[in-house]
Amino acid sequence: EPEVTQTPSHQVTQMGQEVILRCVPISNHLYFYWYRQILGQKVEFLVSFYNNEISEKSEIFDDQFSVERPDGSNFTLKIRSTKLEDSAMYFCASSTPGGLKTQYFGPGTRLLVL
Amino acid sequence: AQSVTQLDSHVSVSEGTPVLLRCNYSSSYSPSLFWYVQHPNKGLQLLLKYTSAATLVKGINGFEAEFKKSETSFHLTKPSAHMSDAAEYFCVVSVDYGGATNKLIFGTGTLLAVQP
């Protein structure tokens, strides 16, 4: 069964450093998403992406964040200058066209900013 | 605005006994609702989804959920718990403004413990 994959599974970085989180969505899916879950808190929507542009973004998704689909298979989330409060589990998801747009999630990348 | 409330942060059951995980939703229109499960150190797996085609929805691993509009509830049940059901369960509502994408609003999660 096709799955969403994410790399790395864990990332430790210093505050102020740039990180890139990578995702490979399910191959026939057209819509892509990033969510995050800070330890002990809810899973929160960050951004959705379709047709090579951002479809919707939350207030969390400020200028420090960017997304792109560089090569037709990977979908990346970049954090330009990480802060301590960016420490979280980051989930990528993808969905097919259609009414319900059911989202399928990857296993997550745990980011720790020191 | 759409939201979901999971009424229990922790539920503990004995193996072989029924499971009930409670969820209430708030939505200004007919919602799309989901239950996802997260096993330790794993990703979010879709258990089941409500599409408005039927109020009783069957999912994987013997779970089902019933949509009750009058009670604004979407509780998750399973007749007989198994040790492998121990995980965190999320009730989720989809927000769709009619554009290309939607976004999911998650509940706070219910941690299910299954005792032998």
Side-chain angles (χ1 to χ4, degrees):
Chain A
E1 186 176 321
E3 290 182 336
V4 176
T5 59
Q6 290 184 243
T7 53
S9 57
H10 294 78
Q11 172 112 32
V12 181
T13 190
Q14 296 292 323
M15 191 170 54
Q17 295 296 303
E18 175 183 285
V19 295
I20 297 176
L21 309 183
R22 292 184 166 78
C23 168
V24 178
I26 294 172
S27 61
N28 64 336
H29 286 189
L30 298 178
Y31 308 107
F32 313 112
Y33 309 82
W34 284 100
Y35 292 79
R36 78 172 185 190
Q37 184 181 28
I38 294 172
L39 191 64
Q41 297 185 24
K42 285 187 186 185
V43 177
E44 303 171 286
F45 169 80
L46 290 179
V47 65
S48 59
F49 189 87
Y50 168 68
N51 201 25
N52 281 318
E53 60 182 27
I54 289 174
S55 185
E56 189 179 355
K57 60 183 181 180
S58 73
E59 60 276 8
I60 303 167
F61 195 88
D62 61 22
D63 291 344
Q64 292 300 312
F65 291 89
S66 62
V67 289
E68 66 173 356
R69 192 158 157 79
D71 57 11
S73 62
N74 288 285
F75 178 52
T76 62
L77 174 69
K78 182 193 289 186
I79 310 175
R80 260 179 272 280
S81 178
T82 49
K83 305 182 192 117
L84 297 176
E85 56 265 35
D86 293 328
S87 295
M89 178 74 94
Y90 288 81
F91 291 106
C92 173
S94 66
S95 68
T96 54
L100 195 56
K101 301 179 190 133
T102 302
Q103 295 183 26
Y104 295 89
F105 284 79
T109 293
R110 186 169 294 283
L111 176 66
L112 178 61
V113 182
L114 301 176
Chain B
Q2 281 85 345
S3 66
V4 287
T5 302
Q6 291 185 245
L7 299 164
D8 307 292
S9 58
H10 292 81
V11 169
S12 183
V13 301
S14 297
E15 191 175 20
T17 64
V19 175
L20 170 63
L21 305 183
R22 299 183 294 165
C23 173
N24 286 107
Y25 70 88
S26 173
S27 177
S28 52
Y29 52 84
S30 184
S32 296
L33 293 162
F34 306 80
W35 277 97
Y36 283 84
V37 60
Q38 185 178 25
H39 287 91
N41 301 314
K42 300 283 188 184
L44 294 158
Q45 181 184 19
L46 179 67
L47 265 185
L48 50 79
K49 56 191 177 185
Y50 168 68
T51 63
S52 78
T55 55
L56 184 61
V57 182
K58 293 191 185 301
I60 61 171
N61 301 333
F63 284 94
E64 59 184 38
E66 186 171 9
F67 175 76
K68 291 188 177 179
K69 187 175 179 180
S70 60
E71 298 176 11
T72 61
S73 68
F74 189 57
H75 299 336
L76 182 70
T77 60
K78 182 173 180 177
S80 175
H82 192 273
M83 296 296 289
S84 60
D85 295 327
E88 189 155 26
Y89 292 80
F90 294 94
C91 182
V92 179
V93 64
S94 173
V95 178
D96 189 343
Y97 297 112
T101 56
N102 57 337
K103 70 178 182 184
L104 301 182
I105 307 293
F106 281 73
T108 48
T110 298
L111 192 62
L112 176 65
V114 182
Q115 310 299 330

